[in-house]
């Protein structure tokens, strides 16, 4: 594939993960911070940026581990197997360890990011409070790792590292968009007359439903994006 | 001190309605929205979550004396990840179509806040019997919540229940939106509001 086609493919992955198959509004991951997000758009945007960074870091690490160690026919176990004199026709598949490894990688990434932020951005660390460790249980990060694993199962169509990072970045951007929109809407909600049973999570979920309907309008856009980008780079 | 702690039976009943994980505690929303398009995937997910929750509670309760405070969340998460791997492989082996339909949501049980919070609040501090009762109660509550949302979505959206046709095409027009992502948000929001309304009425009546 030419490099232009590669770039078009990457941009397509980013737009698909950010808008068409938005992590929050289409795949329902990352709902807990989405529902509990503060009413301040700048705090929500900061949270989105933190999640984007952690997703990218976790995706990089999990792609590396999955590609070289865990997937069926991975090079490192094959090398070890050969070194101990095993039969060369056997293909080793360690993907049963995937979930444990991914959650370990995510917990370590969050810990690392927390230490880094506490040392170099103490004001930011203070404003995040308890939310930074809670990113570990953010479904969006594990979901990104699982999607990357899904694309590393078929030996004929393996995703490269730039593609995995594009998916992670797109997912993080989509999460940031959704959470910032929700924070802005909740700011306006304070001035509205919400019926008592709906206050809190009830009205937030209904707003999310209408947002999801709006984002459904992006369906089928990826073919048009591909055509537009291809003609642009031609 | 011991008499003020809830007994095993109280914990079991507690988890079903009074402290329902979805309608009261608002934990574990991600799988709830994703798998409730029909009753069959919802019940499969409920069974998988129940299996993981009960197993994790048993294991954590058995090793609670060995937990170091600053590493305990990691230990919980790794234990849950092991049991989820077992559950996922079991589903892939014996119910392959359902496993494909549920997709990435079975491994997402690992980050289901409900299980980690139950391990933290109950299993790491209580004995085996109480931990099991708590897990069973929470699982029943989770199943009840999933069943309610899935019933609403499947009946309104496809006119079937567990795949069996219930509402004929001529009686009820299909609300296609209900089986799509927005319908999940709308159904959960309306059901949450209904639950809140009942609670507020009960509180208002008890004050009179």
């Amino acid at each position: 594939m030419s490099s232009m086609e590669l770039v078009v493919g990457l941009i397509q992955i980013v737009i698909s993960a950010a808008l068409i198959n938005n992590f929050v509004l289409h795949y329902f991951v990352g709902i807990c911070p989405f529902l509990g997000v503060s009413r301040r758009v700048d705090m929500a945007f900061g949270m989105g940026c933190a999640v984007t960074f952690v997703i990218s870091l976790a995706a990089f690490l999990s792609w590396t581990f999955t590609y070289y160690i865990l997937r069926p026919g991975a090079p490192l176990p094959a090398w070890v197997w050969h070194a101990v004199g095993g039969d060369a026709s056997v293909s080793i598949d360690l993907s049963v360890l995937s979930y444990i490894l991914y959650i370990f990688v995510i917990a370590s990434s969050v810990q690392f990011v927390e230490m880094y932020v506490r040392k170099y951005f103490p004001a930011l660390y203070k404003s995040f409070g308890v939310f930074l460790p809670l990113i570990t249980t953010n479904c969006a990060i594990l979901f990104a790792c699982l999607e990357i694993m899904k694309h590393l199962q078929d030996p004929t169509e393996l995703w490269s590292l730039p593609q995995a990072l594009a998916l992670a970045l797109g997912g993080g951007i989509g999460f940031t968009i959704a959470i910032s929109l929700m924070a802005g809407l909740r700011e306006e909600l304070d001035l509205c007359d919400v019926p008592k049973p709906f206050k809190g999570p009830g009205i937030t979920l209904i707003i999310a439903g209408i947002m999801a309907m709006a984002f459904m309008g992006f369906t089928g856009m990826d073919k048009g994006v591909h055509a537009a980008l291809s003609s642009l780079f031609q | 001190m011991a008499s003020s702690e809830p007994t095993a039976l109280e914990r079991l009943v507690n988890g079903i309605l009074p402290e329902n994980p979805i309608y009261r505690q608002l934990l574990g929303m991600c799988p709830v929205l994703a798998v409730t398009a029909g009753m069959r995937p919802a019940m499969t997910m409920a069974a998988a979550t129940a299996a993981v929750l009960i197993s994790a509670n048993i294991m954590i309760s058995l090793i609670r004396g060995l937990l170091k405070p600053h590493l305990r969340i990691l230990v919980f998460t790794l234990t849950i990840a092991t049991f989820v791997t077992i559950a996922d492989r079991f589903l892939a082996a014996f119910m392959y179509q359902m496993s494909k339909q549920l997709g990435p949501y079975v491994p997402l049980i690992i980050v289901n806040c409900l299980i980690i919070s139950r391990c933290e609040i109950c299993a790491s501090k209580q004995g085996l019997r109480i931990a099991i009762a708590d897990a069973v109660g929470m699982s029943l509550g989770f199943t009840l919540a999933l069943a309610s949302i899935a019933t609403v979505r499947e009946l309104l959206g496809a006119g079937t229940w567990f795949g069996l046709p219930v509402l004929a095409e001529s009686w009820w027009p299909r609300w296609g939106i209900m089986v799509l992502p927005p319908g999940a948000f709308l159904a959960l929001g309306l059901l949450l509001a209904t639950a809140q309304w009942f609670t507020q009425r009960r509180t208002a009546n008890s004050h009179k």
Side-chain angles (χ1 to χ4, degrees):
Chain A
M1 266 205 299
S2 74
S3 62
M4 272 306 137
E5 281 187 43
L6 281 171
V7 171
V8 166
L10 288 180
I11 296 181
Q12 197 174 349
I13 294 178
V14 172
I15 293 186
S16 164
L19 293 177
I20 304 172
N21 296 323
N22 186 293
F23 272 22
V24 180
L25 298 171
H26 182 88
Y27 283 126
F28 309 111
V29 286
I31 293 289
C32 298
F34 181 68
L35 290 183
V37 74
S38 70
R39 282 157 182 73
R40 291 179 45 193
V41 182
D42 50 355
M43 289 271 315
F45 185 72
M47 168 98 174
C49 289
V51 169
T52 307
F53 183 69
V54 178
I55 284 192
S56 310
L57 182 61
F60 170 72
L61 289 172
S62 62
W63 184 90
T64 314
F65 281 122
T66 310
Y67 187 82
Y68 288 109
I69 302 178
L70 291 179
R71 67 182 169 98
L76 194 62
W79 182 84
V80 170
W81 184 245
H82 182 74
V84 299
D87 184 9
S89 63
V90 170
S91 153
I92 302 187
D93 181 5
L94 290 176
S95 53
V96 74
L97 297 175
S98 314
Y99 306 150
I100 300 175
L101 188 72
Y102 291 158
I103 201 68
F104 203 76
V105 160
I106 292 170
S108 316
S109 307
V110 172
Q111 190 76 359
F112 171 72
V113 168
E114 193 185 349
M115 288 195 309
Y116 184 77
V117 167
R118 183 156 63 174
K119 185 154 185 210
Y120 292 110
F121 303 103
L124 191 67
Y125 181 74
K126 251 197 153 71
S127 68
F128 267 129
V130 75
F131 288 116
L132 208 46
L134 274 184
I135 295 181
T136 315
T137 57
N138 190 334
C139 312
I141 307 179
L142 186 60
F143 183 77
C145 296
L146 292 171
E147 283 290 296
I148 292 170
M149 176 177 97
K150 192 172 77 172
H151 287 283
L152 284 176
Q153 292 294 99
D154 185 5
T156 56
E157 264 199 64
L158 291 174
W159 266 23
S160 59
L161 184 58
Q163 286 173 300
L165 285 177
L167 177 73
L169 196 67
I173 291 175
F175 180 79
T176 310
I177 292 175
I179 208 173
S180 308
L181 286 175
M182 182 53 88
L185 285 169
R186 283 183 75 146
E187 267 185 35
E188 300 293 321
L189 206 58
D190 286 340
L191 306 168
C192 297
D193 190 14
V194 180
K196 205 148 162 279
F198 283 91
K199 279 198 165 89
I203 193 70
T204 312
L205 280 165
I206 295 187
I207 294 176
I210 301 177
M211 273 172 68
M213 272 196 261
F215 269 70
M216 266 173 70
F218 287 120
T219 319
M221 202 175 95
D222 47 352
K223 289 196 182 43
V225 165
H226 189 91
L229 286 173
S230 302
S231 66
L232 195 67
F233 284 118
Q234 236 50 292
Chain B
M1 193 64 188
S3 58
S4 65
E5 291 282 333
T7 65
L9 192 62
E10 273 171 15
R11 277 187 192 271
L12 199 147
V13 175
N14 214 18
I16 302 180
L17 279 183
E19 268 189 42
N20 189 288
I22 295 181
Y23 288 125
R24 288 267 166 277
Q25 300 182 50
L26 303 174
L27 295 174
M29 296 282 213
C30 302
V32 168
L33 292 166
V35 308
T36 44
M39 272 301 279
R40 293 182 68 199
M43 289 300 104
T44 314
M45 173 62 87
T49 311
V52 172
L53 178 55
I54 296 175
S55 318
N57 261 23
I58 292 176
M59 178 68 96
I60 298 291
S61 179
L62 287 174
I63 65 171
R64 71 185 185 278
L66 304 168
L67 292 172
K68 301 265 180 300
H70 53 276
L71 284 181
R72 67 187 194 288
I73 302 280
L74 191 62
V75 170
F76 296 157
T77 322
L78 290 175
T79 315
I80 295 169
T82 316
F83 285 119
V84 168
T85 309
I86 297 173
D88 181 56
R89 291 296 97 201
F90 184 86
L91 271 180
F94 292 106
M95 299 174 73
Y96 187 64
Q97 292 302 328
M98 187 53 67
S99 165
K100 273 271 171 280
Q101 194 180 348
L102 287 176
Y105 295 103
V106 176
L108 282 180
I109 298 177
I110 303 175
V111 286
N112 191 335
C113 312
L114 168 68
I115 308 186
I116 297 184
S117 85
R118 280 296 110 197
C119 285
E120 164 77 7
I121 293 175
C122 179
S124 62
K125 301 185 175 105
Q126 305 284 351
L128 196 57
R129 209 167 56 96
I130 295 190
I132 297 178
D134 187 76
V136 170
M138 287 290 155
S139 309
L140 287 174
F142 191 72
T143 310
L144 185 68
L146 275 184
S148 57
I149 301 170
T151 304
V152 166
R153 283 184 72 191
E154 197 181 356
L155 277 178
L156 293 180
T160 61
W161 200 66
F162 269 107
L164 308 166
V166 171
L167 294 175
E169 187 81 40
S170 49
W171 291 358
W172 181 263
R174 305 276 180 267
W175 285 6
I177 196 79
M178 272 296 163
V179 291
L180 292 172
F185 287 111
L186 293 172
L188 182 58
L190 290 170
L191 282 170
L192 258 176
T194 314
Q196 281 281 71
W197 183 71
F198 275 121
T199 318
Q200 281 161 9
R201 264 190 58 165
R202 207 154 42 98
T203 329
N205 280 340
S206 66
H207 277 310
K208 283 194 191 130

